[in-house]
Amino acid sequence: EILGALMSMIIVWMVTGVLTYLACMRLLHPDYDIDATVMLITSACAVLANVLLSLILHQTGHGHSHGAQAGGRVSAPLEKPALSNASLRAAFVHAIGDLFQSISVLISALIIFFKPQYKIADPICTFVFSIFVLATTIPILRDILSVLMEGK
């Protein structure tokens, strides 16, 4: 479980690193073309998929039973939240990271769609949201390292 969570964090950081590198290349070599319509459709689909995935991963139990026995209502033990284990939390953070990067692309696509001369919005949004994504992984990484180092 912990190694899976660590792998998820590593993948998030690698993808973010690649996106940041590509954004740097676009700033250094501004002679590129962007098809804003394709970018808009693709990013909108990615936002929708990541919202659905995030909602699925964030589902929690509601802590009671709907059944009854002969003498009345029987309560089930409180269910643990779905995000209580590190690998689910890491998967959730991964999905949220993808969601924010998809939102970044969507914002860039909207700007470029209406104002094509502002294509610099693409690398700028990539930088802003990459910083946010990396910052959101730090608490999970701390938890993972604490378990791996047998901390408290």
Side-chain angles (χ1 to χ4, degrees), residues 18-36 39 104-105 108-109 112 118-127:
V18 168
L19 292 174
T20 301
Y21 171 77
L22 293 172
C24 288
M25 290 296 104
R26 285 192 167 186
L27 285 177
L28 294 173
H29 307 286
D31 57 340
Y32 58 90
D33 293 320
I34 295 178
D35 187 344
M39 189 176 173
S104 169
V105 175
S108 300
I112 296 166
Y118 293 151
K119 67 182 181 180
I120 195 168
D122 180 46
I124 291 172
C125 285
T126 299
F127 291 136

Side-chain angles (χ1 to χ4, degrees), residues 96-142:
I96 292 295
D98 287 348
L99 173 63
F100 280 113
Q101 288 175 343
S102 298
I103 290 170
S104 169
V105 175
L106 182 62
I107 290 169
S108 300
L110 287 168
I111 292 169
I112 296 166
F113 185 79
F114 292 108
K115 297 282 189 176
Q117 65 272 25
Y118 293 151
K119 67 182 181 180
I120 195 168
D122 180 46
I124 291 172
C125 285
T126 299
F127 291 136
V128 170
F129 285 94
S130 291
I131 290 167
F132 180 78
V133 166
L134 291 176
T136 60
T137 61
I138 290 173
I140 301 288
L141 190 60
R142 257 191 225 129

